[in-house]
Amino acid sequence: MAIEIIATGRAIPPRRVTNDDLAARIDTTDEWIRSHTGIGARHIAEADVAASDLALEAANNALSLAIERGAVTEKSIEELALTIDLIVLGTTTQDYYGCPATACIVQDKLGAYNAGAMDITVACSSFVYGLEAAAGLLTVSPERKRALVIGAETLSRIADWNDRSICVLFGDGAGAVLIEKTGAPAVGPGRRGLVRSVLGADGSGAQALIVRRGGGRNPLSAGEILDRAPGIEMDGQAVYRFAVAAVTGTIEKLLLYEGITISDIDRIVPHQANARIVQAAGKRLGINEEKFYLNIEEYANTSSASIPIALDELNRAEKLRRGDVVMTVGFGAGLTYGGNLIIW
Ligand code: ACO
């Protein structure tokens, strides 16, 4: 019994904002942003689009692809949605603060009336955690067979657009994967699907990447006048150091636990926060840059959406072949990190 990814989807808001567009408004340059991050543009959702809207579009695209490629016997999205047992949605930018879970809004709009639904909120590591959580929940119950794992973000809503050290980094988008418990073996020759994950956290770094206002620690009060909207604050250099160590350590652990070497891996799909983080980790481990899939130039950091967006791009371009060994690596606020090893 294996847990396999049988389809992927993504949603990218059409409004594209380039580095030069930002440079026309704030004190920055295309050269600074590219040389420090690898980012060239980001896509920003319209004001009436929330994380659940992007998540729904990505989920619909994943279901369409499953039907189109014959990965399922159902013939329509409506029929297929009814077979989903679970929706796990990673997001840092829920439609509503605290409750309800954004996954519930997607569940209803998708017509997945037989699915349980929950959010995972470990920032940019949410997809990695969500895939492992969903796989575990399918495995423990004979009744559950299919799940949607989604990462969806409207980070533009929590980025301070007057702070050049923050706003240039983030973008909006969503990615989704449809996973299924199949008859393929999960161990031994011919094994498939999600074979192993590493999940980690270092809460001592909680202050390094944080939205301080609006929670139970620092609630907003009636009549309060804010000088700026509650948004993300970051100690960039501390996060950078953590991220390089997290990517390096996660890759090393997955290889060690699995008893394989980097030459056994066909693709590494890292969280896209900064191309320099990936390059530094690759250099430390002596991994050829080509092995990492990077699309940060077009989308910037879309937090929990970045890995499933990248998986969908690779999948639709047929750059992932059956049997390929794929590693995901995520890191983010919490601080959290983790990775999945998947036989495609
Ligand atoms: N344009 C021009 N100059 C800028 C910009 C900008 N957009 N942003 C900062 N600068 C300036 C600073 O003001 C500073 O100027 P000064 O020396 O005159 O004071 C100078 O550039 C250097 O600033 P640093 O912050 O030291 O730049 P650094 O090289 O560390 O790069 C960066 C900053 C890109 C943010 C880097 O630290 C980084 O990538 N950190 C990790 C970010 C990350 O991965 N975040 C994950 C968030 S995901 C999540 O969980 C939501």
Side-chain angles (χ1 to χ4, degrees):
M1 186 192 69
I3 304 294
E4 297 189 61
I5 294 178
I6 61 165
T8 59
R10 66 179 186 273
I12 306 295
R15 191 173 145 219
R16 184 172 186 268
V17 177
T18 64
N19 293 343
D20 285 333
D21 293 333
L22 290 181
R25 296 186 42 247
I26 56 167
D27 183 15
T28 190
T29 60
D30 177 57
E31 196 284 326
W32 191 98
I33 302 170
R34 280 184 190 275
S35 60
H36 284 73
T37 68
I39 295 167
R42 69 285 299 141
H43 291 248
I44 304 298
E46 296 302 327
D48 60 350
V49 172
S52 71
D53 300 310
L54 296 173
L56 180 67
E57 188 182 333
N60 269 316
N61 288 337
L63 299 193
S64 292
L65 191 68
I67 295 167
E68 198 182 301
R69 289 194 175 171
V72 293
T73 54
E74 288 75 15
K75 298 283 177 248
S76 70
I77 289 185
E78 293 73 20
E79 203 190 331
L80 181 52
L82 290 172
T83 70
I84 294 167
D85 301 296
L86 186 68
I87 297 176
V88 176
L89 187 147
T91 184
T92 315
T93 46
Q94 297 89 335
D95 283 21
Y96 301 100
Y97 168 70
C99 66
T102 303
C104 294
I105 297 165
V106 176
Q107 183 257 357
D108 177 52
K109 290 192 180 158
L110 190 63
Y113 302 122
N114 298 311
M118 67 183 199
D119 286 357
I120 295 226
T121 56
V122 283
C124 312
S125 308
S126 295
F127 180 78
V128 167
Y129 271 62
L131 188 59
E132 176 75 348
L137 289 167
L138 292 190
T139 305
V140 294
S141 167
E143 287 78 35
R144 290 187 209 112
K145 191 172 174 234
R146 282 185 183 147
L148 265 172
V149 183
I150 308 171
E153 302 286 2
T154 48
L155 289 163
S156 59
R157 306 281 151 73
I158 59 165
D160 182 342
W161 288 91
N162 294 312
D163 181 347
R164 66 179 182 175
S165 68
I166 290 285
C167 69
V168 302
L169 302 175
F170 297 109
D172 301 336
V177 300
L178 180 63
I179 64 172
E180 182 175 281
K181 191 159 60 183
T182 70
V187 288
R191 71 196 177 136
R192 316 194 52 79
L194 177 65
V195 291
R196 189 180 287 282
S197 296
V198 161
L199 305 179
D202 176 9
S204 72
Q207 301 290 322
L209 197 46
I210 191 165
V211 179
R212 273 180 217 287
R213 295 304 315 277
R217 175 80 53 196
N218 266 316
L220 299 169
S221 16
E224 183 181 352
I225 294 169
L226 298 172
D227 56 358
R228 58 182 177 151
I232 198 152
E233 295 172 38
M234 180 174 72
D235 177 345
Q237 289 182 3
V239 175
Y240 185 92
R241 284 192 299 276
F242 162 78
V244 174
V247 174
T248 312
T250 300
I251 293 173
E252 282 178 330
K253 269 189 201 156
L254 282 170
L255 295 178
L256 178 74
Y257 294 166
E258 205 47 35
I260 56 176
T261 66
I262 198 67
S263 61
D264 297 310
I265 306 293
D266 295 295
R267 272 281 180 201
I268 303 176
V269 180
H271 167 49
Q272 319 272 323
N274 185 332
R276 281 170 54 210
I277 292 172
V278 174
Q279 284 151 1
K283 205 166 162 193
R284 273 194 200 176
L285 294 172
I287 304 174
N288 189 334
E289 256 185 56
E290 305 283 292
K291 204 163 273 233
F292 292 97
Y293 182 71
L294 283 177
N295 60 12
I296 189 170
E297 187 181 5
E298 180 59 27
Y299 304 123
N301 179 350
T302 57
S303 191
S304 59
S306 82
I307 292 175
I309 287 174
L311 288 175
D312 184 56
E313 284 192 336
L314 286 166
N315 186 28
R316 281 173 196 261
E318 306 206 340
K319 289 184 180 161
L320 289 175
R321 279 182 299 274
R322 207 164 156 77
D324 277 0
V325 182
V326 181
M327 191 187 269
T328 69
V329 189
F331 55 85
L335 298 167
T336 55
Y337 59 93
N340 317 112
L341 198 63
I342 302 158
I343 319 269
W344 200 256

